[in-house]
Amino acid sequence: MRVGRVAGIDIRLHASMLLLVWLVVASASQTHTGLGAGFLWITAIFVSVLVHEFSHSITARRFGVVVREIELLPIGGISKFDAIPQNPHQELTIALAGPLASLVIGLVTLAAVTVGRGGIPAPALSGGAFWTRLAWFNVVVAVFNLLPALPLDGGRVLKAIFEMREGPLLATHHAARLARVVAFGMIAFGLFTGEIFVAIIGIFVSVVSRVEEMSAELEAQLARLLVSDVMVHSPLVVSDRQTVGEVTWMLHESSQRQFPVLDDAGAVLGVVAARRLAYADRETRLGTLAERRPTVRAAMRLDECGPLDAGTALPVLDAAGRVIGLLYADDVVLAARRSDMPAHRKLAA
């Protein structure tokens, strides 16, 4: 659910955030602290998490990275980028920006509380004064995120350091393996001590570290292929002046399900999907149905095309700007999976 937009970055809440609402209500009913105090504390937590994530995002923008959105979950936040910088020094700086912001918030708040009380307050995340809890929460967030486990910031720092000595694929492979060791330790600690939340985070780290490793392997395989190797050649194209009724024959006589829409000069306006044609009025002009899509060149490497949403297709242009193909996201994934051996093993060999 989109809840706002700050500095051009969408902020979204994951559906699982409803779990926190339930926890606040349950806690208030047991401790008699009141719903207002509970929601104030949750709000303070996620403002702190937002500052943490915005530190990542703003730093990434300085290096030219496109920031898609920030998503908030019960276990924290995720900044979504179109791509991670290939320069490991830049990746290291982006990874450290979040923990540094949390540490600054925590230490500044702690200093203010210390001056007000005349002494450093004891660590506390539940119970006690609001500002004391907030200070120690941010310190804990900074320290916890520096654990050497992908996808935590510490794991990304470790990956960047590995990458300074070896390629990104092997660096991700080594960092992901260490992350799973840390994750196993968190799961074991959580189960033996009854800290189930720690075990849940350990499971999350284990799963996502494997996803990161698979993504790195996929990217390495895509770097070996060109768009022209995977694209559908000579696709049917339509004019923005045509109506739905004039092109419905394509739905029955062609297996193509994405159609580039061109203006009178032959420039690509977007792509219209067959499912939209099936439900649109016959007199509707295709120019009003076209979905804006980036275009790619036939000579580009697949890893240069950016993220492709499942079920979509990008128009492929030749050197003169003419549409000569369609690049389907599903075909890209299938092409990368044709390899019989994991990419990191090939590289090691």
Side-chain angles (χ1 to χ4, degrees), residues 2-198:
R2 183 175 178 272
V3 295
R5 186 177 178 85
V6 179
I9 302 173
D10 284 339
I11 302 171
R12 298 183 180 274
L13 295 182
H14 192 269
S16 58
M17 286 292 293
L18 292 175
L19 174 63
L20 274 184
V21 176
W22 176 79
L23 288 174
V24 168
V25 173
S27 176
S29 63
Q30 291 179 0
T31 61
H32 306 289
T33 56
L35 287 176
F39 281 112
L40 177 61
W41 175 238
I42 293 299
T43 301
I45 285 177
F46 281 96
V47 168
S48 297
V49 173
L50 267 180
V51 172
H52 180 106
E53 294 302 327
F54 266 108
S55 298
H56 288 308
S57 299
I58 300 303
T59 305
R61 276 186 170 180
R62 287 181 52 211
F63 298 124
V65 177
V66 177
V67 182
R68 302 177 71 183
E69 64 185 26
I70 292 175
E71 184 176 6
L72 298 179
L73 301 94
I75 59 173
I78 300 175
S79 297
K80 297 184 178 180
F81 306 149
D82 271 0
I84 299 295
Q86 297 298 313
N87 185 325
H89 295 281
Q90 294 179 355
E91 185 176 1
L92 178 66
T93 303
I94 293 171
L96 288 174
L100 180 60
S102 295
L103 188 61
V104 168
I105 294 174
L107 293 181
V108 169
T109 307
L110 195 60
V113 172
T114 300
V115 171
R117 295 183 53 178
I120 299 176
L125 294 179
S126 60
F130 173 85
W131 292 107
T132 299
R133 284 183 287 146
L134 184 61
W136 284 113
F137 170 80
N138 279 278
V139 171
V140 169
V141 166
V143 173
F144 175 78
N145 270 277
L146 287 176
L147 286 176
L150 287 172
L152 300 178
D153 299 328
R156 300 203 180 280
V157 168
L158 189 64
K159 173 180 171 291
I161 293 174
F162 283 145
E163 197 171 335
M164 293 174 188
R165 298 182 299 170
E166 53 199 20
L169 182 57
L170 282 177
T172 304
H173 177 59
H174 295 326
R177 276 191 169 182
L178 181 57
R180 287 193 285 276
V181 173
V182 175
F184 177 78
M186 294 174 68
I187 295 170
F189 174 82
L191 294 178
F192 282 113
T193 62
E195 297 289 344
I196 301 302
F197 194 67
V198 175

Side-chain angles (χ1 to χ4, degrees), residues 211-239:
V211 171
E212 295 251 357
E213 193 173 19
M214 293 171 64
S215 296
E217 291 177 355
L218 178 65
E219 188 174 343
Q221 291 167 357
L222 294 183
R224 302 184 182 97
L225 297 172
L226 300 179
V227 170
S228 57
D229 296 327
V230 179
M231 71 181 189
V232 174
H233 293 262
S234 304
L236 294 171
V237 298
V238 296
S239 167

Side-chain angles (χ1 to χ4, degrees), residues 298-320:
M300 290 173 61
R301 297 198 318 267
L302 287 178
D303 63 326
E304 297 175 323
C305 295
L308 296 175
D309 295 328
T312 62
L314 303 183
V316 182
L317 310 181
D318 62 11

